[in-house]
Amino acid sequence: MNPSFGTELTGLSLAQTSASAGPTSSSEHGLSRSNESGPLSARTTYSDDDGAVKLYNSYRFTFDTVYGPSSSQEEVYAQCARPAVLNVLQGYNASIIAYGQTGTGKTFTMEGEEGSDRSGIIPRAIQDVFSSIARDTGERCRFLVRASYLQIYNEVISDLLKPGPGNLGVREDRRRGVHVEGLSEWVVRSPGEVFMLMRKGAAGRTTGATKLNEASSRSHAIFMLTVEKAVLLDDGPGGASAAGLAAAMELAGVPGTGPALRQTVRVGKLNLVDLAGSERVHVTGATGQRLEESKKINQSLSTLGNVISALAGGARAGREGKPHVPYRDSKLTRILEDSLGGNCKTTFLAMISPAVEAYSESLSTLKFANRAKNVRNAPTVNEDLDHRTLLRKYELELRRLRAELQQKSKDLVDKRLLLELDAARRREQADKLAAISALERQSAEIMRHKAAMAALQGRISLMQSQLLVGGHRVEDTPQFRQLLAAEQDRIRGQYQARLAELEAEREVMAEGHAQVERYRVLLCKQRDIMTALTQRLGERDGQVLALQGKLDAALARQRELEDGLDARTAEMLGMRRAATEAAADAATQGGPAEEGETEEGATEGLDGAASGGGAPQGSAADAALEHTSLWRIPAVRIGAGHEERQPGPMLLGPHTDTSSEAGSSVNGRGASSQGDAGPDGDGRTSDTASQSPAPDPAPSARRAEVLASPAAGIPGTDSPAARPASATKLPPDTPTLLQTKLEALRRERSALRSILQEKVAVVVADAERSLRSGGLNAEAPQDAVKKLSQQLAYVQNLVGATISAMAPSE
Ligand SMILES: Nc1ncnc2c1ncn2[C@@H]1O[C@H](COP(=O)(O)OP(=O)(O)OP(=O)(O)O)[C@@H](O)[C@H]1O
């Protein structure tokens, strides 16, 4: 109880003395049961101002706490209200109801003076709720606080935070229980926001001046604060850390968490009720509207009393065996149904006045409070494991809104882009139109000016033609002539200056042209030189190739003759063997007397032996036979008289270099050639041998003779047709000569290539130097420079082609 200090009633101490302070701890069920009530035997007498003495009974009551005039708001809050607030944070429903006679300090106790130490329970409770939330820093906890404020005035429920037509209905359903339908709920995040709501609600609350209270509350006011607390359970995958992380991500707006995690939500509701004061009409002197208000107030308080009485056991059992509790008899009791005997921890603050005039109201209040202490409530924690809580709805809604926001942001960006593009296009269009308009205007202006100038010129001409000076026309006056002459001089001077400028320009251009021409000629010359050089190179290449062919043919022929020689050598060896055998046979038949003859004959008949007639004995004979046979073999072949005979013997030159025996045979062949010039030429060796001269004493000289005149003394060789070209044209040492010539040609070709490269480099460098050094200066005509550049490019191409053509083919 919070004692009031009504000024007119100061000094009366009925209430204070009749109420005793009981234990301060609340019972488990919210209301303490009084253990004592009823009038005491003692009586107290008081005299009023008129001197009349009145007798008052004394009563004794026991309550949880009794507060006197010196008690502070802080004290009241800490002992009466704070436990209720903490219970709400645990998920309980709690109600703090201020009950009492008008003017006893209910509003002061509940609201107090904001922002001072006289602030009441409501602001302190709000501070406490948010402080507790702030202290609960676990990342797995989330809170949602919302507030509502209503009043019941003349049995009409109205929303103090959202004024409207009023008269809201009270409904009850399984999901929400008893509730005021259509009452606004405001989500608040700070005490400041709640205070703002309170101020707004207090401004809408109906008050009026009465005799006992200048600002008497003419309505019951209920401030509701609902706290939802969600705790993520750590029994899912990942445990507490995962739950904490998921909660943090969810708070940060990261999608993909929440529904998959288990969480519990506890919902606690705090009702802070400031009832209208009961009043005795004859005391307050209410009339009219105040009287009607008083009746309604008293009626609803009476119903409250009845409900309390019923709950406290005074009611008879109804049809179902339960006592009838008249909740529906008033809006107040209907709304506070949970607080009165239901799922709530309820605290009654009974206000009484110390004034002796308020004796009966104070006694009534104390009796009411005493009965209320006997009411048993059944508070339970409101734990919600399904999706009924607003917090869960908010989470779902938040997720949906975030997705919508993202989509809208995207749409907005797209739209903004389109709008910007459209705006840019419009601006461009507008700029273009403006430019066109400006041009048109300028054009029209110029045309006007031109027309005006033409008109002016016409007028001037006309005036001049009409103007007479000293009786003459202006043109005929000397002044005019002088002016005209001066003007003509000026124009002539300008003209000549301009002419000189043009002439200078023309000269510069001509110089440029000449320079270009010079370069062109130079380039042509260089090009011709290069062409000639290239041609020469081509010819040399042709010669080299031809000689190479000849050399190859000569080498092939040489190989062929060598093969032939090998065959003849084999043949001759066979013949020598036969001659030796024949000589041996003759020696056996002739005897020693013939030895001298035989020896001579053998000497003479060496050739005959070679043809099978006889064979010398010993090494000397063998050597003579071999020698003779070697130069005779060709004689036999040539003697055959065939026009197509092989020119082989004349090509044996190279072979003689490698063997002295072969050299002898060549000499022998040279001799035989002379021998072959004989008349028969039938190849009969016996005849030939007898007519043949002795072996040639100077074979090398004969060989040289043969080589110098290959066809000399050979029948049939005077006809060119009878000789193969290669045999007649090539000198005897053709391969060596060809090799030498080929080498010389290669050297020449290499030298030519070097010369050509040098020349090309000189030409290119020349042209580039000329271009760089300003042979064609900046004033030279551009087309001349261009032409020169093209020519230079042409030369460069030519050079490139020539060089690649000269690349060694071996
Ligand atoms: N404990 C107190 N300390 C100082 N002033 C008080 C105290 N209690 C009440 N008052 C003052 O008494 C006057 C009446 O108080 P209040 O309006 O709170 O009464 P009430 O019970 O709400 O009346 P009503 O039922 O008519 O609304 C106010 O001016 C208030 O400031």
Side-chain angles (χ1 to χ4, degrees):
M1 290 183 291
N2 192 16
S4 177
F5 61 156
T7 48
E8 294 175 0
L9 305 176
T10 305
L12 298 180
S13 58
L14 176 64
Q16 291 174 7
T17 53
S18 61
S20 62
T24 55
S25 60
S26 296
S27 74
E28 189 186 346
H29 304 295
L31 298 179
S32 299
R33 181 180 290 277
S34 82
N35 53 12
E36 199 173 349
S37 66
L40 299 176
S41 56
R43 291 190 173 189
T44 305
T45 56
Y46 286 96
S47 300
D48 60 13
D49 293 342
D50 302 333
V53 175
K54 289 185 179 176
L55 191 66
Y56 296 95
N57 287 326
S58 292
Y59 292 84
R60 185 180 296 274
F61 298 95
T62 302
F63 300 103
D64 295 320
T65 312
V66 176
Y67 299 100
S70 60
S71 298
S72 67
Q73 294 277 59
E74 169 60 29
E75 225 177 310
V76 173
Y77 173 76
Q79 289 177 354
C80 296
R82 192 152 200 277
V85 170
L86 295 180
N87 282 328
V88 168
L89 289 167
Q90 298 293 323
Y92 288 100
N93 293 334
S95 293
I96 299 172
I97 304 171
Y99 179 92
Q101 187 191 359
T102 180
T104 50
K106 296 182 293 294
T107 306
F108 180 84
T109 303
M110 295 304 288
E111 296 179 8
E113 295 171 8
E114 191 187 324
S116 70
D117 58 352
R118 287 156 67 102
S119 62
I121 286 174
I122 296 177
R124 287 173 192 271
I126 289 164
Q127 287 280 11
D128 223 2
V129 164
F130 283 100
S131 302
S132 298
I133 289 173
R135 277 196 299 274
D136 201 345
T137 54
E139 45 185 29
R140 289 184 296 142
C141 294
R142 280 170 292 167
F143 291 89
L144 181 76
V145 184
R146 56 187 197 272
S148 298
Y149 203 1
L150 64 84
Q151 72 169 355
I152 307 169
Y153 173 68
N154 286 344
E155 283 299 286
V156 171
I157 302 172
S158 55
D159 191 339
L160 288 173
L161 301 179
K162 193 177 176 186
N167 205 8
L168 302 174
V170 181
R171 299 279 182 273
E172 181 177 8
D173 58 38
R174 212 168 60 83
R175 193 169 67 83
R176 294 181 63 187
V178 177
H179 63 279
V180 178
E181 195 176 50
L183 181 67
S184 66
E185 287 189 308
W186 301 76
V187 175
V188 285
R189 291 161 298 173
S190 65
E193 288 182 3
V194 189
F195 296 152
M196 203 176 67
L197 291 177
M198 277 185 67
R199 281 195 291 273
K200 184 180 179 185
R205 194 174 174 190
T206 307
T207 56
T210 64
K211 272 190 179 175
L212 298 180
N213 190 353
E214 281 183 2
S216 174
S217 306
R218 310 309 293 165
S219 64
H220 307 300
I222 305 176
F223 188 85
M224 300 171 178
L225 203 65
T226 307
V227 180
E228 289 186 10
K229 177 182 180 182
V231 181
L232 283 171
L233 299 176
D234 55 3
D235 56 354
S241 57
L245 180 65
M249 288 173 74
E250 187 68 17
L251 283 174
V254 180
T257 57
L261 291 165
R262 265 167 47 79
Q263 60 178 353
T264 60
V265 179
R266 290 182 176 178
V267 187
K269 191 172 178 183
L270 178 65
N271 292 318
L272 299 165
V273 186
D274 178 13
L275 295 175
S278 61
E279 56 192 42
R280 292 183 186 274
V281 178
H282 68 273
V283 176
T284 58
T287 55
Q289 188 185 353
R290 290 284 171 268
L291 181 60
E292 288 304 309
E293 288 168 355
S294 292
K295 283 180 184 174
K296 294 284 184 189
I297 290 167
N298 289 336
Q299 190 183 338
S300 62
L301 289 175
S302 169
T303 305
L304 177 63
N306 292 338
V307 167
I308 294 292
S309 296
L311 290 170
R316 281 178 292 178
R319 277 180 296 181
E320 295 174 357
K322 286 183 182 174
H324 171 70
V325 182
Y327 291 115
R328 293 176 182 266
D329 286 357
S330 79
K331 297 278 176 65
L332 177 69
T333 50
R334 183 85 174 107
I335 292 172
L336 294 177
E337 193 171 325
D338 261 351
S339 305
L340 307 170
N343 174 22
C344 189
K345 292 194 174 187
T346 304
T347 302
F348 267 103
L349 296 172
M351 314 287 171
I352 58 170
S353 166
V356 71
E357 291 84 354
Y359 173 84
S360 58
E361 283 80 11
S362 297
L363 183 59
S364 169
T365 299
L366 289 171
K367 284 181 176 175
F368 170 85
N370 197 47
R371 277 198 301 277
K373 285 183 68 176
N374 294 322
V375 175
R376 291 286 177 182
N377 280 2
T380 55
V381 173
N382 304 307
E383 194 162 13
D384 182 69
L385 288 173
D386 58 23
H387 294 272
R388 282 187 300 180
T389 60
L390 194 64
L391 194 60
R392 287 187 194 259
K393 281 185 197 157
Y394 265 60
E395 284 169 358
L396 292 174
E397 184 66 5
L398 266 174
R399 237 175 258 129
R400 190 186 65 75
L401 286 174
R402 278 192 194 118
E404 199 177 327
L405 184 68
Q406 277 183 350
Q407 184 58 38
K408 280 208 161 64
S409 305
K410 189 174 165 295
D411 292 350
L412 194 68
V413 169
D414 291 349
K415 268 186 191 162
R416 201 171 54 203
L417 212 64
L418 279 176
L419 285 173
E420 279 174 7
L421 282 173
D422 198 43
R425 192 182 56 74
R426 282 169 200 271
R427 274 199 303 275
E428 269 179 28
Q429 193 72 21
D431 289 350
K432 208 187 287 179
L433 287 173
I436 289 171
S437 307
L439 271 174
E440 283 174 353
R441 278 197 304 276
Q442 281 179 3
S443 177
E445 190 71 17
I446 288 168
M447 294 304 288
R448 269 200 305 279
H449 275 159
K450 272 188 174 176
M453 279 172 67
L456 204 59
Q457 194 65 41
R459 277 185 65 195
I460 289 169
S461 301
L462 184 65
M463 284 172 72
Q464 280 181 346
S465 65
Q466 290 173 352
L467 200 61
L468 294 173
V469 177
H472 301 285
R473 291 196 312 163
V474 173
E475 307 87 281
D476 299 334
T477 60
Q479 293 91 339
F480 180 80
R481 284 204 193 104
Q482 276 177 4
L483 282 173
L484 191 65
E487 186 61 20
Q488 279 175 347
D489 286 345
R490 191 183 64 78
I491 290 170
R492 194 177 296 114
Q494 277 183 354
Y495 174 76
Q496 281 179 349
R498 180 66 191 139
L499 209 60
E501 278 175 23
L502 286 172
E503 180 60 24
E505 281 177 18
R506 195 193 62 74
E507 280 175 7
V508 168
M509 284 178 70
E511 173 60 24
H513 279 301
Q515 185 79 354
V516 169
E517 183 57 24
R518 280 197 294 279
Y519 276 101
R520 197 187 63 75
V521 170
L522 183 66
L523 286 170
C524 285
K525 274 184 190 167
Q526 299 299 342
R527 187 190 59 195
D528 292 345
I529 290 167
M530 281 188 290
T531 310
L533 285 172
T534 310
Q535 199 174 348
R536 261 182 81 188
L537 272 177
E539 286 169 8
R540 289 291 181 277
D541 282 345
Q543 288 174 3
V544 167
L545 284 173
L547 287 173
Q548 185 71 49
K550 284 177 188 173
L551 179 64
D552 292 344
L555 287 174
R557 181 62 190 151
Q558 182 185 343
R559 278 195 297 277
E560 190 183 327
L561 288 175
E562 280 171 2
D563 292 343
L565 181 64
D566 290 344
R568 297 297 181 278
T569 306
E571 193 181 339
M572 221 163 29
L573 286 172
M575 287 170 68
R576 192 178 63 176
R577 199 179 303 111
T580 308
E581 285 169 3
D585 287 345
T588 309
Q589 289 169 8
E594 294 174 352
E595 270 183 5
E597 291 176 14
T598 304
E599 195 172 343
E600 189 185 345
T603 307
E604 290 176 359
L606 276 175
D607 291 340
S611 61
Q617 283 186 334
S619 59
D622 284 350
L625 178 62
E626 185 180 3
H627 180 86
T628 309
S629 300
L630 280 173
W631 65 263
R632 271 200 170 228
I633 290 163
V636 171
R637 293 193 62 179
I638 294 167
H642 298 299
E643 289 297 313
E644 302 81 11
R645 66 191 165 86
Q646 297 294 321
M650 293 187 289
L651 295 173
L652 287 176
H655 194 70
T656 59
D657 295 338
T658 58
S659 163
S660 61
E661 185 184 25
S664 301
S665 68
V666 167
N667 293 338
R669 280 192 294 273
S672 77
S673 294
Q674 283 185 338
D676 286 344
D680 53 356
D682 58 359
R684 287 178 299 157
T685 54
S686 56
D687 298 343
T688 310
S690 60
Q691 292 168 9
S692 292
D696 196 345
S700 61
R702 289 184 60 79
R703 174 176 168 266
E705 189 185 343
V706 172
L707 286 172
S709 177
I714 299 175
T717 55
D718 50 348
S719 167
R723 303 187 300 270
S726 59
T728 52
K729 283 181 186 171
L730 294 177
D733 55 350
T734 296
T736 311
L737 289 176
L738 282 176
Q739 287 284 10
T740 312
K741 198 165 182 183
L742 192 60
E743 285 305 317
L745 277 172
R746 281 179 181 150
R747 279 196 298 278
E748 188 185 356
R749 178 182 166 163
S750 174
L752 276 172
R753 190 170 60 206
S754 303
I755 292 165
L756 185 59
Q757 280 175 340
E758 260 175 42
K759 276 192 174 296
V760 166
V762 167
V763 169
V764 171
D766 231 18
E768 284 181 347
R769 202 181 319 113
S770 298
L771 282 171
R772 281 202 212 97
S773 66
L776 296 175
N777 54 27
E779 290 76 32
Q782 290 301 312
D783 54 344
V785 175
K786 194 174 163 189
K787 217 183 269 178
L788 193 60
S789 300
Q790 284 170 352
Q791 297 222 353
L792 187 62
Y794 168 72
V795 170
Q796 282 170 341
N797 286 339
L798 197 63
V799 168
T802 310
I803 287 172
S804 61
M806 287 190 307
S809 57
E810 56 272 4

